[in-house]
């Protein structure tokens, strides 16, 4: 396995370009299953999870061709309806093939996603919605076995606004007979991007981005060419990188509108954030103010930015309270930050950060994608060297992060972990 070594204390300055959004590309590439032809997706980030989803599609017999950041998916070639455990266990979002396979082939056999470091993350709401649409679903031997001659439109209420649950059912409904209404639906920009893609493929969808989405199914869907939206979480991560190093960074190719809650909180912490025609210009202020944050479904503060924001609060001038309302175990990074000198107390889903303690470099371990990003940020701010092990987590969701940070003046390198 590999680790990343970060030499702290260097100010970041310059320009960084944001890549395509992992969490938009995953469902949109999978939506290619729904069309009887070859769709073209551009600005696809080069990430481990994207390589996994392409392996998953190939395993279904779907022809996938890549050329740089362009990925072609030919839904006409689909042969198989099984998503095996060895692929699903490496990426939970594989469950997103369930709805499209049922809609396109009338059957699906998808491994149940197992546990996850940040929480149980069940898929019960996905399955409940598909059952409402007439699917016969059985769970055995760790697999979801689903059948449906033709899915029928239904009115589905989500107990919790689930992002991939909304996406799975939107894709299923796009080829179902009749109209489906999703209530208490997720409103994330990635959900809207998928809805726009399905609409261009021939589905009739209204309400995407609101809590109520109405989908009128089509008899068939046509292939499409799509540009993947920029990654709002990568954008937020680089905002924090600029702030924690006293830096001055222009973040280009991003959509500020997609991360208003993050911009608001970073500004509240005393960081100058200007919306520039090219993107976001982030300039660290004199000192960092403590700010309380509560993670919420979009448009609230995103849970995927919680760990990164906590690093900023470690450097702030007082006490801040961070509440994690989305996942039940998303403070794993706290133990690692404490090894670097952070003073953080956790009680249930609340972390109280006593800022102002200087961070010092230390050997730490990445445990999930966003926790690993927070450890890199802490390493950038710390005095001395930080060695982050199990960096395969970071490769899942950040394209060329070392190269992008080094271009801003950071000093970090990748090396093999000692056995
Ligand atoms: C998506 O995961 C993202 N992943 C996550 O990003 C993100 O953290 C999450 O949404 C929340 O914004 C992708 O889009 C690929 P949820 P998802 O279903 O869809 C509960 C990253 O770092 N729930 O919105 O799996 C669930 O346990 C990743 O890029 C059920 O109870 O999350 C959680 O508490 C991490 N039953 C809450 O809902 C269900 O059937 C929100 O989960 C589904 C979800």
């Amino acid at each position: 396995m590999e680790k990343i070594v970060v030499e702290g204390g260097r100010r970041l300055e310059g320009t960084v370009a944001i890549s395509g959004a992992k969490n938009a590309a995953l469902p949109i590439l999978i939506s290619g299953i729904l069309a009887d032809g070859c769709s073209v997706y551009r600005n696809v980030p080069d990430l481990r999870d994207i390589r996994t989803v392409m392996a998953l599609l190939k395993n279904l017999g779907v022809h996938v061709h890549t050329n740089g950041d362009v990925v072609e998916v030919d839904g006409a070639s689909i042969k198989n309806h099984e998503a095996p455990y060895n692929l699903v266990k490496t990426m939970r979002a594989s469950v997103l093939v369930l709805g499209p396979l049922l809609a396109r082939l009338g059957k699906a056999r998808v491994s149940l996603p197992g546990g996850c470091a940040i929480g149980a993350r069940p898929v019960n709401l996905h399955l409940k919605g598909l059952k409402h649409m007439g699917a016969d679903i059985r769970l055995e031997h760790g697999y979801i076995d689903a059948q449906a001659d033709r899915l029928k439109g239904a009115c589905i209420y989500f107990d919790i606004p689930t992002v991939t649950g909304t996406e799975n059912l939107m894709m299923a409904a796009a080829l179902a007979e009749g109209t489906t209404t999703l209530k208490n639906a997720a409103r994330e920009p990635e959900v809207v991007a998928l809805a726009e893609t399905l609409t261009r493929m021939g589905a009739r969808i209204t309400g995407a981005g609101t809590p109520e989405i109405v989908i009128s199914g089509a008899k068939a869907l046509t292939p499409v060419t799509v540009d993947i939206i920029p990654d709002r979480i990568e954008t937020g991560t680089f905002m924090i990188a600029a702030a924690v190093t006293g830096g001055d960074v222009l973040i280009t190719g991003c959509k500020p509108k997609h991360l208003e809650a993050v911009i608001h909180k970073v500004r509240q912490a005393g960081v100058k954030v200007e919306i520039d025609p090219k993107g976001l210009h982030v300039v660290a202020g004199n000192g960092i103010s403590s700010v309380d944050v509560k993670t919420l479904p979009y448009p609230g503060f995103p849970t995927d930015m919680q760990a990164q924001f906590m690093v900023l609060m470690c450097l702030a001038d007082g006490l801040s309270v961070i509440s994690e309302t989305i996942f039940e175990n998303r403070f794993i990074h706290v133990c690692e930050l404490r090894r670097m000198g952070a003073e953080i107390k956790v009680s249930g889903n609340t972390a109280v950060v006593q800022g102002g303690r200087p961070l010092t470099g230390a050997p730490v371990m990445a445990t999930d994608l966003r926790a690993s990003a927070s450890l890199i940020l802490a390493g950038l701010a710390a005095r001395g060297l930080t060695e982050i092990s199990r960096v395969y987590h970071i490769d899942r969701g950040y394209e060329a992060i070392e190269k992008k940070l080094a271009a801003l003046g950071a000093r970090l390198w990748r090396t093999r972990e000692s056995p």
Side-chain angles (χ1 to χ4, degrees):
M1 284 197 271
E2 294 182 310
K3 63 186 174 184
I4 287 181
V5 182
V6 183
E7 181 187 308
R10 299 172 66 84
R11 182 173 180 271
L12 298 191
E13 53 184 348
T15 300
V16 63
I18 294 301
S19 302
K22 166 179 85 82
N23 291 349
L26 293 175
I28 287 174
L29 262 63
I30 289 172
S31 74
I33 294 175
L34 294 165
D36 191 10
C38 187
S39 294
V40 179
Y41 306 110
R42 300 182 304 212
N43 194 35
V44 178
D46 179 17
L47 301 170
R48 196 157 160 262
D49 276 7
I50 297 296
R51 291 190 285 277
T52 301
V53 80
M54 291 197 286
L56 187 65
L57 290 170
K58 288 174 182 168
N59 191 67
L60 298 173
V62 174
H63 294 163
V64 179
H65 177 71
T66 57
N67 178 11
D69 70 350
V70 178
V71 176
E72 294 176 2
V73 171
D74 183 358
S77 53
I78 191 163
K79 290 187 190 62
N80 177 12
H81 66 282
E82 180 166 339
Y85 175 61
N86 66 311
L87 287 172
V88 176
K89 72 178 178 183
T90 60
M91 187 186 68
R92 323 177 45 70
S94 307
V95 74
L96 281 167
V97 299
L98 185 58
L101 284 174
L102 263 181
R104 184 78 200 280
L105 301 180
K107 57 184 175 181
R109 179 170 160 74
V110 178
S111 168
L112 263 172
C116 171
I118 64 177
R121 300 183 74 181
V123 291
N124 59 313
L125 300 178
H126 301 231
L127 303 182
K128 184 179 149 194
L130 290 169
K131 280 181 190 159
H132 265 38
M133 296 178 74
D136 170 48
I137 293 186
R138 292 195 178 84
L139 302 183
E140 48 191 20
H141 309 301
Y143 275 79
I144 303 161
D145 278 306
Q147 306 262 352
D149 295 337
R150 179 144 195 233
L151 292 170
K152 293 192 176 29
C155 181
I156 295 159
Y157 178 81
F158 288 115
D159 304 351
I160 304 172
T162 157
V163 173
T164 49
T166 302
E167 292 166 345
N168 222 339
L169 286 154
M170 217 161 47
M171 290 192 278
L175 275 179
E177 184 182 335
T179 300
T180 299
T181 303
L182 303 180
K183 291 180 180 279
N184 197 26
R187 301 166 57 188
E188 275 69 2
E190 295 77 24
V191 171
V192 174
L194 176 64
E196 287 167 356
T197 299
L198 294 170
T199 301
R200 290 179 50 210
M201 293 170 75
R204 273 175 292 124
I205 300 178
T206 56
T210 76
E212 182 161 317
I213 305 176
V214 180
I215 306 109
S216 302
K219 282 201 171 27
L221 294 173
T222 55
V224 71
T225 296
V226 172
D227 290 314
I228 300 297
I229 59 171
D231 194 314
R232 60 192 169 99
I233 304 302
E234 185 192 19
T235 305
T237 304
F238 276 99
M239 288 176 70
I240 302 291
V244 301
T245 59
D248 179 337
V249 174
L250 176 62
I251 303 172
T252 62
C254 60
K255 272 192 192 293
K257 181 115 188 71
H258 287 170
L259 65 160
E260 287 181 338
V262 175
I263 293 170
H264 171 67
K265 286 294 176 181
V266 170
R267 280 176 172 157
Q268 249 190 297
V271 180
K272 207 165 117 195
V273 181
E274 282 166 359
I275 297 184
D276 179 288
K278 296 194 193 111
L280 279 176
H281 186 196
V282 181
V283 183
N286 302 319
I288 297 164
S289 306
S290 295
V291 175
D292 295 346
V293 156
K294 176 184 273 195
T295 66
L296 287 168
Y298 193 89
F301 190 92
T303 175
D304 291 350
M305 276 298 302
Q306 179 257 104
Q308 300 92 311
F309 194 81
M310 186 180 282
V311 175
L312 183 63
M313 290 300 101
C314 290
L315 307 176
D317 59 2
L319 217 58
S320 59
V321 178
I322 298 179
S323 309
E324 172 56 59
T325 72
I326 306 295
F327 292 112
E328 63 269 29
N329 190 33
R330 203 167 199 178
F331 285 141
I332 314 170
H333 46 284
V334 169
C335 301
E336 303 305 306
L337 292 174
R338 283 187 189 133
R339 291 177 46 71
M340 300 176 72
E343 192 171 326
I344 307 168
K345 288 190 175 62
V346 172
S347 169
N349 75 340
T350 302
V352 179
V353 183
Q354 173 61 58
R357 305 285 185 274
L359 295 179
T360 56
V364 290
M365 186 167 74
T367 50
D368 64 87
L369 169 55
R370 306 303 173 182
S372 49
S374 74
L375 296 177
I376 290 182
L377 295 173
L380 292 171
R383 186 166 32 83
L385 289 184
T386 298
E387 297 193 358
I388 302 154
S389 61
R390 302 192 180 181
V391 282
Y392 56 84
H393 289 292
I394 196 94
D395 295 332
R396 295 192 50 184
Y398 286 91
E399 185 178 52
I401 191 161
E402 295 121 279
K403 198 161 149 242
K404 290 187 178 186
L405 285 170
L408 293 172
R411 190 169 291 163
L412 72 167
W413 58 94
R414 192 177 287 237
T415 178
R416 296 209 62 73
E417 277 192 70
S418 40

